[in-house]
Amino acid sequence: MNTAEEIEEVARLASAIWREYYVSIISDEQIHYMVGNFQSSSAITDHIQAQGYEYFFIRLDRSTVGYLAVKQEAGKLFLSKFYILKEHRGRGYASKAMDFLEELCKKRSLSHIWLTVNRHNESSIAVYSKKGFRIVREQIAEIGNGFVMDDYIMEKDVSASSVKSVIVIGAGILGASTAYQLAKMGAKVLIIDRQDQGQATDAAAGIICPWLSQRRNKAWYRLAKAGASFYPGLIEELTKEGETETGYAKVGALSIHEDMAKIAKLEERAQQRKPDAPEIGEITRLDPQETIARFPLLADGHHSVHISGAARVDGRALRDALVRSAQRHGAAFIRGDAEIRYESHRVIGAAAGGEFFKADAVIVCAGAWARQLLQPLGIAFKVGYQKAQIMHVQAADQYETGSWPVVMPPSDQYLLAFEDWRIVIGATHEDDIDGYDTRITAGGMQEILNKGMMAAPGLKNASFREVRVGFRPHTPGYLPVIGQFPGWEGLYSANGLGASGLTTGPFIGCQLAKLALGMEPDFDLNDYDIRNAIEGEEAGLKTD
């Protein structure tokens, strides 16, 4: 930032944040002095024009939630200012900002990030410590008018010497996201994928709208909400890297019902959840005419609740964009049947296609196939799977379908509209299947069409395009598991994402990458302990 308007905005932010946050740490007189002398428009202008500081906004969509200021000096990056508005703290913006700074250091070949923090600012010290900073010394500096800054100097090593080599097994949405985040953070990454038929991501087209869910599992909702919040930033990153076909579009969602009492409940649930999830956007109740105007193929008589922040995703397109971006950051991709190699209980790499690849860590993102991959290590991994058949049809070209909202009927089906008149109807939920049965069945197609056309009879004139088949992995309690395998060094996994894989996969992939690199995740993972999916009292330890 460098315009007068931007500088004025920073000054207003600084005044508001300082007067709210520091009242319990320093006196009102010192706050007034420091804001006037170090955070005013004139002071910030001098920082930028005369002292070499760079200022950056932290934004959510078009709203500013905070800012930071840095200065490059002596091969290090000085983090001079790092502030977030109260109502946006604890939402992961600090972690995203720190990722940005580490990427900046990588591009500029800088070895450390350092900062000063008031010795009595215990909450900030705790946050910086979790992000990998350590206290290197104390500093008391006079700043004028009888005031002093009584600080710790904290520093984090971000040098390339700590680069890890990591193998990611499985290139669905979870594996692709994990690999992309690892490569972006400077790790040496190899992706190994068998490209099995029935991979969940390859078949999936999904709805990013967890806020209306009636699931009572609070841990699932926290994870799904975090996943939805993660998407806009991820798509912005991919777009800046040149990815124009991510398969993601924020088109809104219609939750439809003929029962007005149910519509009222849906609206009430959305309003209750909005304060903690502002990305939900505008919540609007629509009558039947307004509902059909948004999605013309629907049956008459449906009222709806429209959620403007909802989105739709083509899993195949997003996965491919993530893999391409990972490769741009240096990741390698090979097709093959991976075998994990280890010594004692330390992973040393993996073999594929008759070749051994050494690595510091292996991350298993193999979905429905994870159990057989981990079995040779003596890990009895409890992952099951559900078959899903998803139909694609072609609507008449009289419609402009690319901007239509996703539709969530009262049943377990959904409707998604994409560009080029493509409509996706999903999906079956088949539990009693024999092996990895990827057949397209008449019964599955009948179920999809019966339920889809009940909600949208206008589909009767659509032409058939294809049916995709995938296996949704699930773990005990139908709650994902994430983490490092107990008793194993360098072995990580996540699994059990189920029907919400497209919603949660990119976010979980980011957390997996951070775990593998020894970084603090952005999210409390205790509810998703990987031990919950391991059989036996020894948590999967191999006994030779």
Side-chain angles (χ1 to χ4, degrees), residues 154-171:
M154 300 187 74
E155 189 172 75
K156 180 176 182 177
D157 186 348
V158 294
S159 60
S161 61
S162 59
V163 169
K164 274 189 173 183
S165 58
V166 184
I167 293 173
V168 178
I169 301 176

Side-chain angles (χ1 to χ4, degrees), residues 345 377-378 538 541-544:
H345 289 101
L377 283 67
E538 295 183 28
L541 291 182
K542 183 177 175 67
T543 54
D544 297 315

Side-chain angles (χ1 to χ4, degrees), residues 366-379:
W369 293 269
R371 184 182 181 94
Q372 63 194 49
L373 180 63
L374 292 164
Q375 202 164 23
L377 283 67
I379 298 174

Side-chain angles (χ1 to χ4, degrees), residues 341-358:
R341 297 292 173 85
Y342 61 95
E343 294 175 353
S344 185
H345 289 101
R346 181 174 65 86
V347 168
I348 59 172
E355 188 174 356
F356 170 69
F357 301 93
K358 187 177 180 181

Side-chain angles (χ1 to χ4, degrees), residues 173-496:
I173 195 69
L174 175 61
S177 176
T178 303
Y180 167 64
Q181 297 293 341
L182 284 165
K184 192 178 67 164
M185 288 186 260
K188 181 181 178 183
V189 180
L190 172 65
I191 308 165
I192 304 176
D193 189 78
R194 287 195 314 205
Q195 297 181 328
D196 292 289
Q197 288 188 348
Q199 188 183 81
T201 298
D202 206 41
I207 298 170
I208 311 301
C209 185
W211 314 290
L212 298 181
S213 172
Q214 298 183 60
R215 287 183 63 167
R216 296 180 179 179
N217 191 319
K218 294 181 180 179
W220 174 86
Y221 176 70
R222 285 196 300 274
L223 188 59
K225 179 169 69 71
S229 178
F230 185 75
Y231 257 98
L234 172 65
I235 299 303
E236 184 179 358
E237 286 178 5
L238 293 173
T239 301
K240 287 180 179 177
E241 293 184 13
E243 291 298 334
T244 58
E245 299 294 332
T246 63
Y248 173 92
K250 188 182 288 187
V251 293
L254 292 173
S255 185
I256 65 173
H257 213 291
E258 294 178 342
D259 187 336
M260 283 300 297
K262 297 290 180 64
I263 288 292
K265 284 288 186 183
L266 284 168
E267 184 179 18
E268 180 184 5
R269 185 180 304 119
Q271 294 291 358
Q272 288 174 345
R273 288 175 168 175
K274 183 174 180 178
D276 193 44
E279 57 273 11
I280 198 170
E282 296 300 318
I283 302 163
T284 310
R285 190 187 299 195
L286 303 179
D287 64 27
Q289 291 72 32
E290 293 170 320
T291 300
I292 286 183
R294 301 289 182 104
F295 201 104
L297 304 181
L298 290 174
D300 293 332
H302 285 118
H303 295 262
S304 67
V305 174
H306 181 260
I307 305 297
S308 69
R312 47 108 166 134
V313 181
D314 183 317
R316 186 182 294 180
L318 181 58
R319 175 205 60 194
D320 292 347
L322 287 164
V323 170
R324 286 192 299 266
S325 288
Q327 291 173 315
R328 273 194 293 271
H329 286 278
F333 183 100
I334 62 170
R335 181 174 181 176
D337 190 359
E339 297 178 8
I340 301 170
R341 297 292 173 85
Y342 61 95
E343 294 175 353
S344 185
H345 289 101
R346 181 174 65 86
V347 168
I348 59 172
E355 188 174 356
F356 170 69
F357 301 93
K358 187 177 180 181
D360 300 308
V362 171
I363 303 178
V364 177
C365 300
W369 293 269
R371 184 182 181 94
Q372 63 194 49
L373 180 63
L374 292 164
Q375 202 164 23
L377 283 67
I379 298 174
F381 200 51
K382 297 188 287 186
V383 57
Y385 52 89
Q386 182 184 71
K387 179 180 176 180
Q389 299 185 58
I390 303 168
M391 183 178 291
H392 295 235
V393 298
Q394 185 94 7
D397 59 9
Q398 70 192 77
Y399 301 113
E400 294 293 337
T401 57
S403 60
W404 284 7
V406 300
V407 176
M408 298 183 291
S411 67
D412 57 0
Q413 302 299 101
Y414 57 80
L415 298 168
L416 304 180
F418 289 85
E419 290 82 3
D420 67 13
W421 311 287
R422 179 163 57 106
I423 308 293
V424 178
I425 318 168
T428 63
H429 298 76
E430 304 170 50
D431 294 306
D432 299 321
I433 55 172
D434 184 18
Y436 297 98
D437 178 9
T438 59
R439 292 178 306 125
I440 299 166
T441 65
M445 294 175 69
Q446 182 181 30
E447 178 188 340
I448 293 169
L449 287 172
N450 284 349
K451 292 182 178 179
M453 290 181 65
M454 184 180 297
L459 289 168
K460 67 181 180 181
N461 293 318
S463 57
F464 175 79
R465 289 183 58 157
E466 64 173 325
V467 172
R468 298 181 185 179
V469 177
F471 299 109
R472 304 184 186 102
H474 58 78
T475 40
Y478 293 90
L479 188 67
V481 295
I482 311 162
Q484 181 175 358
F485 283 96
W488 286 88
E489 182 181 344
L491 183 61
Y492 303 82
S493 185
N495 211 309

